Each structure stands twice: as structure tokens, then as C-alpha cells.
Amino acid sequence: SSTFGRTNQYAYFPSVSAGWTLTNEPFMENKPGWFDFLKVRGSWGQNGNEKIGSFGYTTTMTGGNNYSFGASSNGVIHSGTKPTSLANPDLRWETSEQLDFGFDSRFFNNSLSFSFDWFKKDTKDMLMERPIPLYVGSGSPLSNVGTLTNQGIELEVGYKLSVDKVNLSFLANASYVKNEVADLAGDDFVLTANYSDLGGPLQIMKPGYPMGSFYVYQWKGFDDKGANLYQKADGSLTTNP
């Protein structure tokens, strides 16, 4: 990808999967009549992400940063440019690695089906802007900032039946996912979504917490005068955080 510098343009993302239909094996010949099908499966693979726009690894310039030399009444305006953001020549592919195990089963002449999946997905070298101090005078550079883990299960139940000449099928599914920031490449936290009308950044990325956790004061009710009470970091309460 031309999104990255010459040393990081290419990457390799392998994958492998396998399945075993147990009901085709001789040791399942004496299975109950209502038990029609059972297959176990597993897979492992990687995907790459480079959707960050162009020239993130280098510095582009922006105009309109003019400056007047001399007295304000007769000063000469000189056209100026500056970098739009800091360069990062080490910028590289973001990699998602997923492991999955599950099974598919069918019962009662294939009328009832049930599937189960367990998965774990680690997104490594996440591509994000890394905050920098305002005195730098330039935009935040794109960086590979850490690892995000998603782990969970998926369940699916289906049922098929025929009523006269009408075929009906029903399908229900449920899932549970635990999302957690595992690492931020040495940073303690990164403030993300900014809500200017609510006072600034309200969401945070922090190891051990879900992605996009809200970073706000904890509201603890009202005091005897009806004012809002908030809990400070030391555990005490205040009406003026």
C-alpha cells in the first residue's frame, strides 16, 4: 500500500481453517435417530487495515500562514506555509488476528438447528492519531498506538416446519462480546472523542477498560440544598468539580 513509507508498504496476512463432520464417522453410526448432524470447526487468520488516508508517513504543507514584517501600518505581508502534521516514517499496517472455534448441529429430521461460536480478536498496531502538546504548533501524527482485544460467544437457533404447502423458518441469535484495550504502546491513556459543547474530551482509551469509555465525573445525587453532588478522585464529594 502506498499509504505507508517504502519500508512498510508490504505485509503478509495468512489464514487457515478446518472442519470435521463427526456424524460422517463410523463411531457415530449408532447415534439416536433424532440426532442428524454435528460438525466442529476452527479457524485462525489475520487481516490488514490501511484506511487512514494518504501521506500519513510523511509531512505535507498547508498555506495561509502569513506574517507581517515591519510596522503594522506599512508592514510587508509574507506568504507562509507550515506542516499540517508531524511525519511518522515508521507507520505500518494495522493487523487484526482472530481465533474462532465452534460447532453446527441439526436435530429432528433437520428441523431444529443450533450453532455455537467462541472467538477472540486482537487488533494490533492500531492506527490512530497520537495527541501532542499544543506548543508543537502542528497536527497530531498518525501512529501505531497499541492493542485492542474483543472476545465473546455467538449462539444461533433455527427451526423449520411446513404447514400445508407453506414452508416456515425461524431464526434467533444472541451474542456477548467483551471489549478491552490491552496496550497503548507505553501511554497511560489517550483522550479520544471531543465534545466541545460539553467542555472537551469525554471519552478515553485506557488499558484494562473498554474502547471509548466515558471519562466523566461520577454523579452522586443532590445535597440538602438541591445542588448536584460529584465524587472526586480522592472519594470526597463536591458540588463544584
Side-chain angles (χ1 to χ4, degrees), residues 3-83:
T3 300
F4 306 107
R6 292 185 179 275
T7 58
N8 294 308
Q9 288 183 342
Y10 300 94
Y12 177 60
F13 304 105
S15 63
V16 62
S17 63
W20 183 17
T21 304
L22 295 174
T23 45
N24 288 344
E25 300 299 328
F27 61 80
M28 294 289 288
E29 289 180 352
N30 295 323
K31 65 181 180 359
W34 49 265
F35 189 10
D36 301 309
F37 178 84
L38 178 63
K39 179 181 180 179
V40 294
R41 47 186 167 72
S43 63
W44 172 89
Q46 294 181 337
N47 291 314
N49 174 36
E50 41 84 47
K51 300 298 183 182
I52 54 173
S54 303
F55 308 114
Y57 65 93
T58 189
T59 298
T60 58
M61 308 297 290
T62 181
N65 297 275
N66 303 330
Y67 194 83
S68 174
F69 288 90
S72 59
S73 59
N74 58 0
V76 178
I77 302 297
H78 291 266
S79 298
T81 60
K82 71 170 186 177

Side-chain angles (χ1 to χ4, degrees), residues 164-184:
D164 294 330
K165 296 182 179 181
V166 178
N167 295 322
L168 301 174
S169 61
F170 303 90
L171 190 66
N173 58 69
S175 62
Y176 169 79
V177 180
K178 181 182 180 181
N179 173 281
E180 182 178 307
V181 177
D183 175 65
L184 285 177

Side-chain angles (χ1 to χ4, degrees), residues 116-120 150-155 173-180 210:
F116 171 85
D117 281 276
W118 172 90
F119 63 89
K120 182 180 181 183
N150 287 281
Q151 181 174 320
I153 60 172
E154 293 182 348
L155 306 173
N173 58 69
S175 62
Y176 169 79
V177 180
K178 181 182 180 181
N179 173 281
E180 182 178 307

Side-chain angles (χ1 to χ4, degrees), residues 3-235:
T3 300
F4 306 107
R6 292 185 179 275
T7 58
N8 294 308
Q9 288 183 342
Y10 300 94
Y12 177 60
F13 304 105
S15 63
V16 62
S17 63
W20 183 17
T21 304
L22 295 174
T23 45
N24 288 344
E25 300 299 328
F27 61 80
M28 294 289 288
E29 289 180 352
N30 295 323
K31 65 181 180 359
W34 49 265
F35 189 10
D36 301 309
F37 178 84
L38 178 63
K39 179 181 180 179
V40 294
R41 47 186 167 72
S43 63
W44 172 89
Q46 294 181 337
N47 291 314
N49 174 36
E50 41 84 47
K51 300 298 183 182
I52 54 173
S54 303
F55 308 114
Y57 65 93
T58 189
T59 298
T60 58
M61 308 297 290
T62 181
N65 297 275
N66 303 330
Y67 194 83
S68 174
F69 288 90
S72 59
S73 59
N74 58 0
V76 178
I77 302 297
H78 291 266
S79 298
T81 60
K82 71 170 186 177
T84 54
S85 63
L86 299 180
N88 182 2
D90 297 323
L91 199 65
R92 59 189 180 274
W93 287 80
E94 176 183 289
T95 301
S96 294
E97 180 177 298
Q98 182 160 326
L99 180 66
D100 182 281
F101 293 105
F103 68 84
D104 302 308
S105 57
R106 295 195 294 268
F107 311 92
F108 306 112
N109 198 27
N110 295 316
S111 295
L112 178 67
S113 61
F114 178 75
S115 296
F116 171 85
D117 281 276
W118 172 90
F119 63 89
K120 182 180 181 183
K121 179 179 180 181
D122 294 319
T123 302
K124 306 174 183 179
D125 296 329
M126 291 187 297
L127 290 165
M128 295 186 63
E129 290 186 353
R130 174 167 282 179
I132 57 174
L134 292 177
Y135 60 72
V136 175
S138 183
S140 300
L142 284 165
S143 303
N144 299 94
V145 299
T147 302
L148 176 69
T149 297
N150 287 281
Q151 181 174 320
I153 60 172
E154 293 182 348
L155 306 173
E156 183 177 281
V157 179
Y159 186 72
K160 298 186 296 184
L161 74 159
S162 296
V163 180
D164 294 330
K165 296 182 179 181
V166 178
N167 295 322
L168 301 174
S169 61
F170 303 90
L171 190 66
N173 58 69
S175 62
Y176 169 79
V177 180
K178 181 182 180 181
N179 173 281
E180 182 178 307
V181 177
D183 175 65
L184 285 177
D187 289 341
D188 293 330
F189 64 89
V190 174
L191 295 174
T192 55
N194 190 35
Y195 300 86
S196 58
D197 56 336
L198 295 177
L202 294 182
Q203 288 180 273
I204 191 173
M205 286 179 59
K206 186 175 182 179
Y209 289 81
M211 180 79 166
S213 295
F214 281 92
Y215 186 63
V216 295
Y217 295 108
Q218 294 188 32
W219 183 75
K220 292 297 181 179
F222 301 97
D223 65 6
D224 52 4
K225 296 180 179 179
N228 288 300
L229 282 173
Y230 302 95
Q231 182 174 325
K232 298 195 295 185
D234 61 4

